[in-house]
Amino acid sequence: MINGVFPYLSSALSQELQCSICLDVFTDPVSTPCGHNFCKSCLNQCWDNSQIYKCPLCKDPFSKRPDLKINTALREVVLLFKGNSGQSKSEVLCDICDDIKMKALKMCLECQISYCQTHLEPHQRVPNLKKHKLIDPVEKLEDYICQKHEKPLELFCRDDQTCVCLNCAMNDHKNHNTVSVEEESRERKPQLMKMQADVQQMIQDRMKRIEDLKHSEELRKETSEKEKAESIELFTDLIRSIERCQSELLEMMEQKQKAAEKQAEELIKELEQEITELKRRDTELEQLSHTEDHLHLLQIYPSLSRPAHTSSCTEISLSDTHESVETMKKAWIQLKETLNEKLSKTSRGIDEKLNKTVKKTMQQYAVDVTLDPDTSHPHLFLSDDRKQVEYRDTKLELPDNPERFDYCPCVLAKEGFSSGRFYFEVQVKGKTDWDLGVVRESINRKGMITAAPEAGYWIIVLSNDNQYLALESPPATLSLRVKPQVVGVFVDYEEGKVSFHDVESRTVIHSFTGQSFTEKLYPYFSPNIKKEGRNVAPLIIRSVNECTSQI
């Protein structure tokens, strides 16, 4: 605050910093969702005695009791105001009262005495005293009195930006531009109101960001729960399919086993009958081999010489058993194919949903980025909307300001970021060479540049149409399955992370992690030289709407 001016702005500023409940300067100020400010204890006491939560000033109702957080920015303004205005918890007492000191109502700068309401009466009645300068009581009266001449500080020197008395104005500030403190105070009041409006806007912006973050977190939780339920349902279907296939396979094997057992029983029975028949024939042959009845032997020989009847059950049984085994093998192969197909679909579905979720999360932080002509190399041409940059052989006549790159064909965005997360997308289609990323504000912009994280550069590059590098220390070669047409850059300032993404294939190209950011970061672009006409396509910053349409 400008030296000497603040005391005379106290009255105007105190009204802006006054709680509408206790009618005093804020203590631990908090803000409601509708934008009004109150003392934290006053607002809590007001809501503790009510079942309905609404703003005490505009009566705007809230569906649930807001979680009150101290407005640190406004609290700093209040503390600055109290410190400069001389406010304190102790009261200023009347200098005239003898026995019981009453609270001072006003203080006279001419008399340099504080007065209660009773002893102030002469200053309101006597003509000469009515001309004296009266102010609200303060503990440090010396802030209002010229220490050199012991006169009231009634004037403000605009040349030296300080309050002076009449003697100072006639001597030390004789040829300076001086005005009354009241006039200067009136001109400063709109600035204070603008300051307050800026502070309130900052409050609203941060509260909106908190609400957006909470809403995003709720959406993320809902999406996560939905995906979890879908995954459970999918795996439940898989388990059911396995159980069904297992049941069918076991049933088929049981049927085949029963059929084989039945055939085996029939075969055993038939073989036992054949054994009985063969034993009978063996007995007959034994008897005939010792007989002397030659006529009888010749009569029955034809029947005994015919081969005994045998069944083909053994062959049938083996054939059916082989068929059963083959059938089971086929069933098992089919089951494995079904499982692999379902697992493959599940994996693809989960990967797709995961990539889509990550994409949505990043694009919530999409920012509108434009190119800064004050940083652009003289051979770079920017489009009128500051969204495209290309290299040309013609050199522009531009001032060599400290911000401009004079050797490397680079340009920065006009927007810088010193906290939170931000995301932007750049079309690199048709190019054989380019550089993209973010840099810190204090990077060297003159002469040769060594691009690495320790120098303030977090970038990736394409060279010779197919060589991708992440400029780590040392540089790391990147192996990409497809050539990106649109590259997304996502930065998490607090986490110290810069990641690059292929927007169309929804894959991560590279990530710088574990970084420590202490300065403002600016998006960085280099379309590189034309390479004999092979690299003439521009780098194009995609708009927020285009980013959203890719989800």
Side-chain angles (χ1 to χ4, degrees), residues 208-243:
K208 184 178 184 302
R209 184 171 179 184
I210 290 173
E211 290 299 320
D212 291 343
L213 289 173
K214 288 182 178 179
H215 181 63
S216 298
E217 181 62 18
E218 290 175 358
L219 289 178
R220 187 194 66 76
K221 287 182 179 179
E222 290 177 3
T223 302
S224 178
E225 291 299 325
K226 184 178 179 182
E227 291 176 350
K228 190 187 298 181
E230 290 177 352
S231 297
I232 291 173
E233 183 179 356
L234 186 57
F235 280 106
T236 301
D237 290 342
L238 275 173
I239 293 171
R240 288 173 181 167
S241 297
I242 293 171
E243 291 175 345

Coordinates of all heavy atoms in Angstrom, one line a residue, residues 208-243:
K208 N -15.6 -22.4 -8.1 CA -16.1 -23.1 -9.3 C -15.2 -24.3 -9.6 O -15.6 -25.4 -10.0 CB -16.2 -22.2 -10.5 CG -16.8 -22.8 -11.7 CD -17.0 -21.9 -12.8 CE -17.7 -22.5 -14.0 NZ -17.0 -23.7 -14.5
R209 N -13.9 -24.0 -9.5 CA -12.9 -25.1 -9.8 C -13.1 -26.3 -8.8 O -13.0 -27.4 -9.2 CB -11.5 -24.6 -9.7 CG -10.5 -25.6 -10.2 CD -9.1 -25.0 -10.3 NE -8.1 -26.0 -10.7 CZ -6.8 -25.8 -10.8 NH1 -6.3 -24.6 -10.6 NH2 -6.0 -26.8 -11.1
I210 N -13.3 -25.9 -7.5 CA -13.5 -27.0 -6.5 C -14.8 -27.8 -6.9 O -14.8 -29.0 -6.9 CB -13.7 -26.3 -5.1 CG1 -12.3 -25.8 -4.7 CG2 -14.2 -27.4 -4.1 CD1 -12.4 -25.0 -3.4
E211 N -15.8 -27.1 -7.3 CA -17.1 -27.8 -7.7 C -16.9 -28.6 -8.9 O -17.3 -29.8 -9.0 CB -18.2 -26.7 -7.9 CG -18.7 -26.0 -6.7 CD -19.3 -27.0 -5.7 OE1 -20.0 -27.9 -6.1 OE2 -19.1 -26.8 -4.5
D212 N -16.1 -28.1 -9.9 CA -15.8 -28.9 -11.1 C -15.0 -30.1 -10.7 O -15.2 -31.2 -11.3 CB -15.0 -28.0 -12.1 CG -15.9 -26.9 -12.7 OD1 -17.1 -27.0 -12.6 OD2 -15.3 -26.0 -13.3
L213 N -14.0 -30.0 -9.8 CA -13.2 -31.1 -9.4 C -14.0 -32.1 -8.7 O -13.9 -33.3 -8.9 CB -12.0 -30.6 -8.6 CG -10.9 -29.9 -9.3 CD1 -9.9 -29.3 -8.2 CD2 -10.2 -30.7 -10.3
K214 N -14.9 -31.6 -7.8 CA -15.8 -32.6 -7.1 C -16.7 -33.3 -8.1 O -16.9 -34.5 -8.0 CB -16.6 -31.8 -6.1 CG -15.8 -31.3 -4.9 CD -16.7 -30.6 -3.9 CE -16.0 -30.2 -2.6 NZ -16.8 -29.5 -1.7
H215 N -17.3 -32.5 -9.1 CA -18.2 -33.1 -10.1 C -17.4 -34.2 -10.9 O -17.9 -35.3 -11.2 CB -18.7 -32.1 -10.9 CG -19.7 -32.6 -12.0 ND1 -20.9 -33.2 -11.7 CD2 -19.6 -32.6 -13.3 CE1 -21.5 -33.6 -12.8 NE2 -20.7 -33.2 -13.8
S216 N -16.2 -33.8 -11.3 CA -15.3 -34.7 -12.1 C -15.1 -36.0 -11.3 O -15.1 -37.1 -11.8 CB -14.0 -34.1 -12.5 OG -14.3 -33.0 -13.3
E217 N -14.8 -35.8 -10.0 CA -14.5 -37.0 -9.1 C -15.7 -37.9 -9.0 O -15.6 -39.1 -9.0 CB -14.0 -36.5 -7.7 CG -13.7 -37.6 -6.8 CD -12.5 -38.5 -7.2 OE1 -11.8 -38.0 -8.1 OE2 -12.3 -39.6 -6.7
E218 N -16.9 -37.2 -8.9 CA -18.2 -38.0 -8.8 C -18.4 -38.8 -10.1 O -18.8 -40.0 -10.1 CB -19.3 -37.1 -8.5 CG -19.3 -36.5 -7.1 CD -20.5 -35.5 -6.9 OE1 -21.2 -35.2 -7.9 OE2 -20.6 -35.0 -5.8
L219 N -18.2 -38.1 -11.2 CA -18.3 -38.8 -12.5 C -17.3 -39.9 -12.6 O -17.6 -41.0 -13.2 CB -18.1 -37.8 -13.7 CG -19.2 -36.8 -13.9 CD1 -18.8 -35.8 -15.0 CD2 -20.5 -37.4 -14.2
R220 N -16.1 -39.7 -12.2 CA -15.1 -40.7 -12.3 C -15.5 -41.9 -11.4 O -15.4 -43.1 -11.8 CB -13.7 -40.2 -11.8 CG -12.6 -41.2 -11.9 CD -11.4 -40.8 -11.1 NE -11.6 -40.9 -9.7 CZ -11.7 -42.0 -9.0 NH1 -11.4 -43.2 -9.6 NH2 -11.9 -42.0 -7.7
K221 N -16.0 -41.7 -10.2 CA -16.5 -42.8 -9.3 C -17.6 -43.5 -10.0 O -17.6 -44.8 -10.0 CB -16.9 -42.2 -8.0 CG -15.7 -41.8 -7.1 CD -16.2 -41.3 -5.8 CE -15.0 -40.8 -4.9 NZ -15.5 -40.3 -3.6
E222 N -18.6 -42.8 -10.6 CA -19.7 -43.4 -11.2 C -19.2 -44.3 -12.4 O -19.7 -45.4 -12.5 CB -20.7 -42.4 -11.7 CG -21.4 -41.6 -10.6 CD -22.4 -40.6 -11.1 OE1 -22.5 -40.4 -12.4 OE2 -23.0 -39.9 -10.3
T223 N -18.3 -43.7 -13.2 CA -17.8 -44.5 -14.3 C -17.0 -45.7 -13.8 O -17.2 -46.8 -14.4 CB -16.8 -43.6 -15.2 OG1 -17.5 -42.4 -15.6 CG2 -16.3 -44.4 -16.4
S224 N -16.2 -45.5 -12.8 CA -15.5 -46.7 -12.2 C -16.4 -47.8 -11.7 O -16.2 -48.9 -12.0 CB -14.6 -46.2 -11.1 OG -13.9 -47.3 -10.5
E225 N -17.5 -47.4 -11.0 CA -18.4 -48.3 -10.5 C -19.1 -49.1 -11.6 O -19.4 -50.3 -11.5 CB -19.4 -47.7 -9.6 CG -18.9 -47.1 -8.2 CD -18.3 -48.3 -7.4 OE1 -18.9 -49.4 -7.4 OE2 -17.3 -48.1 -6.7
K226 N -19.5 -48.3 -12.6 CA -20.2 -48.9 -13.8 C -19.3 -49.9 -14.5 O -19.7 -51.0 -14.8 CB -20.6 -47.8 -14.8 CG -21.4 -48.3 -15.9 CD -21.9 -47.2 -16.9 CE -22.6 -47.7 -18.1 NZ -23.0 -46.7 -19.0
E227 N -18.0 -49.5 -14.7 CA -17.1 -50.4 -15.4 C -16.8 -51.7 -14.5 O -16.6 -52.8 -15.0 CB -15.8 -49.7 -15.6 CG -15.9 -48.6 -16.7 CD -14.6 -47.8 -16.9 OE1 -13.7 -48.0 -16.1 OE2 -14.5 -47.1 -17.9
K228 N -16.7 -51.4 -13.2 CA -16.5 -52.6 -12.3 C -17.7 -53.6 -12.4 O -17.5 -54.8 -12.4 CB -16.4 -52.1 -10.8 CG -16.0 -53.1 -9.8 CD -16.0 -52.6 -8.4 CE -15.1 -51.4 -8.2 NZ -15.1 -50.9 -6.8
A229 N -19.0 -53.0 -12.4 CA -20.1 -53.8 -12.5 C -20.1 -54.6 -13.8 O -20.5 -55.8 -13.9 CB -21.4 -53.0 -12.4
E230 N -19.8 -53.9 -14.9 CA -19.7 -54.5 -16.2 C -18.7 -55.6 -16.3 O -18.9 -56.7 -16.9 CB -19.4 -53.5 -17.3 CG -20.6 -52.5 -17.6 CD -20.2 -51.5 -18.6 OE1 -19.0 -51.4 -19.0 OE2 -21.1 -50.7 -19.0
S231 N -17.5 -55.4 -15.6 CA -16.5 -56.4 -15.6 C -16.9 -57.6 -14.8 O -16.7 -58.8 -15.2 CB -15.2 -55.8 -15.0 OG -14.7 -54.8 -15.8
I232 N -17.6 -57.4 -13.7 CA -18.1 -58.5 -12.9 C -19.1 -59.3 -13.7 O -19.1 -60.5 -13.7 CB -18.7 -57.9 -11.6 CG1 -17.6 -57.4 -10.7 CG2 -19.5 -59.0 -10.8 CD1 -18.1 -56.7 -9.4
E233 N -20.0 -58.6 -14.4 CA -21.0 -59.3 -15.2 C -20.4 -60.1 -16.3 O -20.8 -61.2 -16.5 CB -22.0 -58.2 -15.8 CG -23.1 -58.9 -16.6 CD -24.1 -57.8 -17.1 OE1 -23.9 -56.7 -16.9 OE2 -25.0 -58.2 -17.9
L234 N -19.3 -59.5 -16.9 CA -18.6 -60.2 -18.0 C -17.9 -61.4 -17.5 O -18.1 -62.5 -18.1 CB -17.6 -59.3 -18.6 CG -16.9 -59.8 -19.9 CD1 -17.9 -60.1 -21.0 CD2 -15.9 -58.7 -20.4
F235 N -17.2 -61.3 -16.4 CA -16.5 -62.5 -15.8 C -17.5 -63.5 -15.3 O -17.3 -64.7 -15.3 CB -15.6 -62.1 -14.7 CG -14.3 -61.6 -15.3 CD1 -14.0 -60.2 -15.2 CD2 -13.3 -62.4 -15.8 CE1 -12.8 -59.7 -15.8 CE2 -12.1 -62.0 -16.3 CZ -11.9 -60.6 -16.3
T236 N -18.7 -63.0 -14.8 CA -19.7 -64.0 -14.3 C -20.2 -64.8 -15.5 O -20.4 -66.0 -15.4 CB -20.9 -63.2 -13.7 OG1 -20.4 -62.4 -12.6 CG2 -22.0 -64.1 -13.2
D237 N -20.4 -64.1 -16.7 CA -20.8 -64.8 -17.9 C -19.8 -65.9 -18.3 O -20.1 -67.0 -18.7 CB -21.1 -63.9 -19.0 CG -22.3 -63.0 -18.8 OD1 -23.2 -63.4 -17.9 OD2 -22.5 -62.0 -19.4
L238 N -18.5 -65.5 -18.1 CA -17.4 -66.4 -18.5 C -17.5 -67.6 -17.6 O -17.4 -68.8 -18.0 CB -16.1 -65.7 -18.3 CG -15.6 -64.9 -19.5 CD1 -14.3 -64.2 -19.1 CD2 -15.3 -65.8 -20.7
I239 N -17.7 -67.4 -16.3 CA -17.7 -68.5 -15.3 C -18.9 -69.4 -15.6 O -18.8 -70.7 -15.6 CB -17.8 -68.0 -13.9 CG1 -16.5 -67.3 -13.5 CG2 -18.1 -69.1 -12.9 CD1 -16.6 -66.5 -12.2
R240 N -20.0 -68.8 -16.0 CA -21.2 -69.6 -16.3 C -21.0 -70.4 -17.6 O -21.4 -71.6 -17.7 CB -22.4 -68.7 -16.6 CG -23.0 -68.1 -15.3 CD -24.0 -67.0 -15.6 NE -24.6 -66.4 -14.4 CZ -25.3 -65.3 -14.4 NH1 -25.6 -64.7 -15.5 NH2 -25.8 -64.8 -13.2
S241 N -20.3 -69.8 -18.6 CA -20.0 -70.6 -19.8 C -19.0 -71.7 -19.5 O -19.2 -72.8 -20.0 CB -19.3 -69.6 -20.8 OG -20.2 -68.6 -21.2
I242 N -18.0 -71.5 -18.6 CA -17.1 -72.6 -18.3 C -17.9 -73.7 -17.6 O -17.7 -74.9 -17.9 CB -16.0 -72.0 -17.3 CG1 -15.1 -71.1 -18.1 CG2 -15.2 -73.2 -16.8 CD1 -14.1 -70.3 -17.3
E243 N -18.7 -73.3 -16.6 CA -19.5 -74.3 -15.9 C -20.4 -75.1 -16.8 O -20.6 -76.3 -16.7 CB -20.3 -73.6 -14.7 CG -19.4 -73.1 -13.6 CD -20.2 -72.3 -12.6 OE1 -21.4 -72.0 -12.9 OE2 -19.7 -72.0 -11.5

